[in-house]
């Protein structure tokens, strides 16, 4: 792949994952959907900052899939698809809202995809280098449109997904209508006297991502500072972090003084991520384009904020690129202001030789994303001005 001078922070946001195929409908629904029990309840693992559920494909697995309200298609890691021997049935594209056709992808077909007692038959999936980008624990991304016709509840405090054949009444408490853009959920978000269309994106581990243009229109507890870059499947962009001095309102719920990030890749729309949803039970009725967000109170097992290791590497433009190792080292192109790295003493121009006593040539980008987003200390072997030393980021 072509390289550009640039850098990328290993804090991945897969917002607005979209897919389609030339000359075909953008989304091919499963041939059959069957619930083997009236109410299907499956565990939801939130430890990665994304809702992970376990699925089986053609009777094999289970595999961890992200249940992603920000994905209009279902995606499987390309190597996993090959291991399962899934037949190729065409081509499609994978991208994000700014570049929907960033990558050409194979379309493969599974006889069955099962989530607990939910069985989808004749499921079409797009292949992607998901494990290279995110790490080996991820097998795929389950796009919400493949669950059309089912009332889907992501009960974050209860750490479970509930699936039924019900619908949401338009007159029900806290039920609101939403717009659908290519299978993505769009809601009005009110902030700083403005109303923005916001994508509801459970695959984004952050809170609210807003247009950088709001930096001069909103009141903040402190001025926004550049904290690094966020990456989608097709591109990356600089982000600024800040805490709003005021409220954000979505679906009748107020979020008081929330942490937000600002991106110059956004213009008139916003993104609502995982950290904004942790105390919410979210029900989605795709048939009628309605949803309900209920704040259930204190969360006993609230996931702590994702660690922000703000290193960005020279020569890396997007998360599917190979790590830009040069002469056995990764070179630091930027260190986010206020990040743990900056506090620990990592500097621009440092050559990273090893991470946790493992040479950088042994890593892929997904390995580092998992490592940097974890909660254990990370040890860097650094070469600076001809001298080698070690820095630990807690």
């Amino acid at each position: 792949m072509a390289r550009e001078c640039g850098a990328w922070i290993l804090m991945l946001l897969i917002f607005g994952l979209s897919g389609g195929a030339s000359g075909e409908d953008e989304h091919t629904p499963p041939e059959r959907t069957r619930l083997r029990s009236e109410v299907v309840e499956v565990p939801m693992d939130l430890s990665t900052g994304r809702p992970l559920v376990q699925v089986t494909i053609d009777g094999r697995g289970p595999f961890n899939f992200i249940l992603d309200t920000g994905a209009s298609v279902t995606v499987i890691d390309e190597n996993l698809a090959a291991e399962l021997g899934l037949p190729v049935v065409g081509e499609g594209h994978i991208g994000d809202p700014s570049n929907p056709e960033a990558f050409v992808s194979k379309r493969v077909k599974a006889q069955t995809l099962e989530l607990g007692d939910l069985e989808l038959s004749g499921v079409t999936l797009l292949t992607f280098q998901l494990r290279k980008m995110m790490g080996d624990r991820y097998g795929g991304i389950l796009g919400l449109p493949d669950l059309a016709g089912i009332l889907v509840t992501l009960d974050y405090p209860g750490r479970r997904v509930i699936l039924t054949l019900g619908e949401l009444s338009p007159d029900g408490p806290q039920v609101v209508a939403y717009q659908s853009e290519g299978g993505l959920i769009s809601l009005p978000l009110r902030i700083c006297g403005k109303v923005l269309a916001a994508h509801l994106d459970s695959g984004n581990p952050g809170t609210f991502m807003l247009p950088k243009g709001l930096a001069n229109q909103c009141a903040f507890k402190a001025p926004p500072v550049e904290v690094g870059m966020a990456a989608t499947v097709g591109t990356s962009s600089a982000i600024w972090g800040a805490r709003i001095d005021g409220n954000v309102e979505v679906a009748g719920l107020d979020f008081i003084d929330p942490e937000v990030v600002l991106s110059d890749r956004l213009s008139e729309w916003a993104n609502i991520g995982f950290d904004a949803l942790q105390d919410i039970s979210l029900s989605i009725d795709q048939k009628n384009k309605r949803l309900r967000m209920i704040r259930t109170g204190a969360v006993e097992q609230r996931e702590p904020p994702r660690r922000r290791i703000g290193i960005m590497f020279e020569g890396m433009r997007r998360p599917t690129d190979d790590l830009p190792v040069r002469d056995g080292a990764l070179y630091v192109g930027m260190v986010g202001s206020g990040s743990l790295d900056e506090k620990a003493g990592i500097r621009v121009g440092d050559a990273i030789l090893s991470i946790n006593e493992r040479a950088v040539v042994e890593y892929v980008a997904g390995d580092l994303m998992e490592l940097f987003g974890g909660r254990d200390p990370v040890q860097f072997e650094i070469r600076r001005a001809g001298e080698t030393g070690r820095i630990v980021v807690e």
Side-chain angles (χ1 to χ4, degrees), residues 184-232:
L184 305 180
I185 293 173
S186 180
L187 289 168
L189 180 148
R190 293 174 173 82
I191 182 171
C192 310
K194 296 176 65 69
V195 179
L196 303 176
H199 289 162
L200 186 64
D201 188 359
S202 60
N204 169 5
T207 50
F208 299 98
M209 178 172 279
L210 306 171
K212 177 63 163 54
L214 290 180
N216 298 321
Q217 302 177 41
C218 292
F220 298 97
K221 297 290 187 179
V225 295
E226 188 169 355
V227 292
M229 299 185 80
T232 68

Side-chain angles (χ1 to χ4, degrees), residues 30-243:
E31 295 171 1
R32 182 187 179 204
T33 299
R34 181 166 72 101
L35 289 175
R36 292 193 289 265
S37 55
E38 187 174 336
V39 178
V40 174
E41 183 176 318
V42 296
M44 182 168 62
D45 180 353
L46 304 179
S47 61
T48 66
R50 300 177 176 88
L52 288 183
V53 294
Q54 293 197 324
V55 307
T56 59
I57 298 175
D58 292 348
R60 297 172 65 181
F63 307 107
N64 288 321
F65 271 52
I66 302 168
L67 181 52
D68 192 354
T69 63
S72 64
V73 291
T74 294
V75 172
I76 186 170
D77 176 73
E78 62 182 15
N79 291 330
L80 177 58
E83 290 171 16
L84 295 174
L86 299 183
V88 177
V89 295
E91 286 189 345
H93 294 87
I94 286 180
D96 56 50
S98 65
N99 186 4
E101 299 188 354
F103 298 97
V104 176
S105 169
K106 293 178 182 177
R107 292 163 62 89
V108 297
K109 195 165 188 176
Q111 295 180 34
T112 60
L113 185 152
E114 295 178 89
L115 174 60
D117 279 342
L118 167 69
E119 180 183 289
L120 305 178
S121 301
V123 182
T124 301
L125 310 93
L126 294 181
T127 64
F128 187 64
Q129 304 169 22
L130 191 69
R131 287 177 169 169
K132 175 182 177 182
M133 187 174 72
M134 298 185 66
D136 288 341
R137 75 179 297 172
Y138 298 94
I141 297 170
L142 180 56
L144 198 63
D146 275 340
L147 304 180
I150 296 174
L151 180 62
V152 179
T153 297
L154 284 78
D155 177 8
Y156 283 89
R159 282 169 159 68
R160 59 181 180 164
V161 176
I162 304 169
L163 308 167
T164 70
L165 292 177
E167 300 179 5
L168 293 176
S169 168
D171 301 321
Q174 295 180 256
V175 174
V176 299
Y178 67 81
Q179 300 294 316
S180 180
E181 304 171 1
L184 305 180
I185 293 173
S186 180
L187 289 168
L189 180 148
R190 293 174 173 82
I191 182 171
C192 310
K194 296 176 65 69
V195 179
L196 303 176
H199 289 162
L200 186 64
D201 188 359
S202 60
N204 169 5
T207 50
F208 299 98
M209 178 172 279
L210 306 171
K212 177 63 163 54
L214 290 180
N216 298 321
Q217 302 177 41
C218 292
F220 298 97
K221 297 290 187 179
V225 295
E226 188 169 355
V227 292
M229 299 185 80
T232 68
V233 294
T235 188
S236 59
S237 61
I239 57 172
W240 290 258
R243 181 179 288 277

